[in-house]
Amino acid sequence: MRLVLLGPPGAGKGTQAARLVAKHGIPQLSTGDMLRAAVKAQTPIGRQAKAVMDAGNLVSDDIVVGIVADRIEEPDARKGFILDGFPRTVAQAEALEAMLARKGLKLDGVIELDVDHDKLVERIERRAQEARATGVPVRKDDDPEVFKTRLQTYNRDTAVVTPFYKSRGMLRVIDGMQPIERVAADIDRALAPH
Ligand code: AMP
């Protein structure tokens, strides 16, 4: 199964992706995680991406598309994958479509977690508090001020990805404000063969 999870930062994509990994036995490909790993390892890409990420802006399409193109070639992604945080621009969505088409493949589903943006800031503050309470370092970009920039970036650059998939009849919209289990059940229903 090849799946894309869409939705603004804090919508619960990571949580739902982790569950889908366990259920379907396919990897979660999070471009945010991959970029953070590159930053930590101080690779050339990481060094280029760090300031952009810390400010809550988007890393260039070329870099991110290159990372995803390499990653989906790895053996564990052959059976399928869940893309989390990618595509974030129409250029990325088109690049993904082209790279899959070259292999004779298509996406099986695109799920959007629809959430109330005002409530997201509260949610992200809670996430930062919980991380602090358990001694996990808080992500720099989960700082509420940076988070607001990420949300603005989403509304400016990434919201256009939804109509891209809608026009292709691929989009399934799920109410992401429900409890985690309800969201999970709705995703499973949306992915069940019709
Ligand atoms: P995330 O963990 O998905 O919220 O991503 C964290 C940060 O990594 C984002 O705020 C961007 O700076 C960068 N990033 C992750 N995925 C992408 C992408 N598909 N395109 C551009 N930048 C990305």
Side-chain angles (χ1 to χ4, degrees):
M1 179 177 309
R2 290 172 189 83
L3 207 62
V4 165
L5 276 181
L6 297 177
K13 297 188 298 292
T15 303
Q16 294 300 332
R19 192 189 61 86
L20 290 164
V21 164
K23 185 176 161 91
H24 297 282
I26 48 177
Q28 170 193 5
L29 311 187
S30 156
T31 43
D33 285 350
M34 292 183 240
L35 287 165
R36 278 185 288 278
V39 169
K40 202 166 165 209
Q42 298 191 351
T43 66
I45 283 178
R47 275 198 288 272
Q48 238 178 300
K50 186 177 186 314
V52 179
M53 292 173 72
D54 284 349
N57 294 316
L58 289 186
V59 175
S60 79
D61 288 334
D62 285 354
I63 287 183
V64 181
V65 167
I67 289 178
V68 171
D70 288 346
R71 184 65 185 83
I72 65 171
E73 290 297 335
E74 287 180 29
D76 67 330
R78 296 260 159 82
K79 271 199 318 177
F81 48 75
I82 300 151
L83 281 166
D84 160 15
F86 179 94
R88 260 174 156 99
T89 63
V90 168
Q92 292 177 16
E94 284 170 344
L96 174 64
E97 198 170 60
M99 71 177 92
L100 290 176
R102 277 195 294 275
K103 298 155 159 296
L105 300 171
K106 287 194 299 184
L107 291 172
D108 297 295
V110 179
I111 303 274
E112 182 194 21
L113 298 181
D114 183 30
V115 288
D116 177 341
H117 289 204
D118 291 335
K119 298 248 168 71
L120 281 181
V121 178
E122 285 170 31
R123 191 185 269 193
I124 213 72
E125 279 167 347
R126 214 167 38 237
R127 191 152 98 182
Q129 269 169 10
E130 280 168 9
R132 269 188 226 105
T134 51
V136 176
V138 177
R139 271 169 51 180
K140 209 177 227 165
D141 59 357
D142 272 354
D143 169 89
E145 280 314 305
V146 177
F147 182 78
K148 283 177 200 153
T149 306
R150 290 167 68 202
L151 209 49
Q152 278 163 9
T153 303
Y154 179 86
N155 287 327
R156 190 188 60 222
D157 300 324
T158 306
V160 292
V161 175
T162 303
F164 175 89
Y165 287 119
K166 191 172 182 191
S167 70
R168 283 162 167 70
M170 296 165 79
L171 186 72
R172 303 277 175 277
V173 181
I174 307 279
D175 175 5
M177 297 311 289
Q178 305 177 92
I180 290 174
E181 298 71 29
R182 290 267 182 89
V183 176
D186 281 359
I187 291 176
D188 288 346
R189 253 194 304 278
L191 296 177
H194 297 291

